[in-house]
Structures are given as structure tokens and as C-alpha cells.
Amino acid sequence: HVQLVESGGGSAQTGGSLRLSCAASGAASRIECMGWFRQIPGKEREWVASIHRDGFANYADSVKGRFTISKDSAKNTLYLQMNSLKPDDTAMYYCAAAEGGGAYCFLAAAYEYNYWGQGTQVTVS
């Protein structure tokens, strides 16, 4: 089993930056892809970005050029650097991990992930 714990959420002003972290523990070697999703009340969980363990990354159009997903394999930690934040980025952000996904991790659906963190709130005003 894999445990995921997010941190780094908080409040930011429009145009500001935040960095989210997600620490993985347990059977982390089973993970092939990791991703970030976000969700606002009453809406479905929205894919933000994903990254393969070899480093190939994908982004939703809404965040491309503003957000950067990265990982530190030695620390089993996933990051999401969020720049040029907008009020529309306000949401609960979730870290997710998948045991599969292929070489490019084109995993944009929540059901494709096996493990989830508890979420961290990001508020942009």
C-alpha cells in the first residue's frame, strides 16, 4: 500500500505563487505515475498535471505555462510549483499515484489512479 501526504497549500494573491508537496511512503516502488488533481465543491475532480517516474510530464491546458510538476525520487516527494495564480485556481488540491500509466502517463481520469492523499486547500484572491 502507498500513503500520500500533501502539504504547502494556503492563500495567495492573484499573480502570486505557491508550491505544493506530496510525500509518498509505503510501497512507493510500485508507483509508475503521479499526478495532481483539484476539486471545488459541487464539481468533479479535475486533472492538473501528471508525471512519469522517468520524468515525462503532462499538463492540463488551463495550467500549462504556469504550473510545473516535478519529483525528487530520492525523497519520494512530488511537487507542484504554481505561478501566476488566478482566482480560478482556488480549489482543494489532491496528490495521486498510479501503479500503471505507460511511458508518458497520459492519465487524466481520477479512476486511473490507485492512491490518493487527503488534499490541501489553495485559495487565490
Side-chain angles (χ1 to χ4, degrees):
H1 195 71
V2 176
Q3 294 81 40
L4 303 173
V5 179
E6 301 99 331
S7 60
S11 298
Q13 293 189 335
T14 298
S17 299
L18 285 172
R19 188 176 82 153
L20 306 183
S21 299
C22 172
S25 60
S29 61
R30 299 169 65 174
I31 297 171
E32 184 170 23
C33 299
M34 296 191 75
W36 289 98
F37 283 73
R38 62 188 182 186
Q39 188 172 26
I40 59 175
K43 295 285 185 73
E44 290 190 359
R45 202 162 287 193
E46 175 192 22
W47 172 71
V48 174
S50 57
I51 188 167
H52 189 269
R53 61 187 172 201
D54 291 338
F56 191 89
N58 301 283
Y59 297 91
D61 288 343
S62 59
V63 306
K64 199 171 294 182
R66 300 188 298 121
F67 291 10
T68 302
I69 189 172
S70 64
K71 61 183 182 60
D72 184 331
S73 297
K75 297 181 179 179
N76 285 331
T77 300
L78 178 73
Y79 302 100
L80 184 68
Q81 178 66 44
M82 305 185 293
N83 298 329
S84 301
L85 284 164
K86 306 174 182 179
D88 284 350
D89 295 320
T90 296
M92 184 72 78
Y93 282 71
Y94 296 91
C95 169
E99 295 182 2
Y104 301 105
C105 288
F106 289 126
L107 303 181
Y111 72 83
E112 295 178 292
Y113 292 81
N114 305 101
Y115 308 101
W116 292 86
Q118 82 289 350
T120 186
Q121 178 68 37
V122 170
T123 302
V124 183
S125 59

